[in-house]
Amino acid sequence: MKREVIVDGGAPTPLAHYCQGVVVGDYVYAAGQIASDYRTGVAPEARVEAAFPYYGSDIQRQTRYILENLRKTFRAAGTDLENVVKAQVFLTDLGDFFYFDQVWKEFFPSPPPRTTVGVTGLLVPGCKVEIDLIAVKG
């Protein structure tokens, strides 16, 4: 079966040895993504401004940043978030679930099946969530 690597969808390029995703048949498998730009740690767009800590939520900003990057990856592969058929979410604090889920609902009005688990940490310090998606080509 043919395997096509998604090289540049506009999402930050990982430092570690993996790609943003692959297309196999009608399926698109995206790598798990975190809210890092792989240069400064947590990407500036995914952080709450220190001078205005009550204007936003770290978990919501990180979730939105990740889902926007996953959207770019899927669009580069010829599909979009509406075609997601499976999701896995890893949260460093399950107390953030409610706030994470508020953003999730914005991106997935008709939600795909999802597994959500708590983890003790992620690859980049300060990252609170990692999201891993599988979609079909539209």
Side-chain angles (χ1 to χ4, degrees), residues 42-62 128:
V42 175
E45 312 90 296
R47 294 184 216 146
V48 171
E49 285 287 329
F52 302 101
Y54 303 109
Y55 286 93
S57 153
D58 283 330
I59 190 65
Q60 288 180 321
R61 290 180 66 93
Q62 288 189 24
K128 296 176 163 279

Side-chain angles (χ1 to χ4, degrees), residues 5-27:
V5 174
I6 303 167
V7 178
D8 183 19
T13 303
L15 292 176
H17 188 64
Y18 64 93
C19 62
Q20 292 176 358
V22 296
V23 178
V24 179
D26 289 335
Y27 288 91

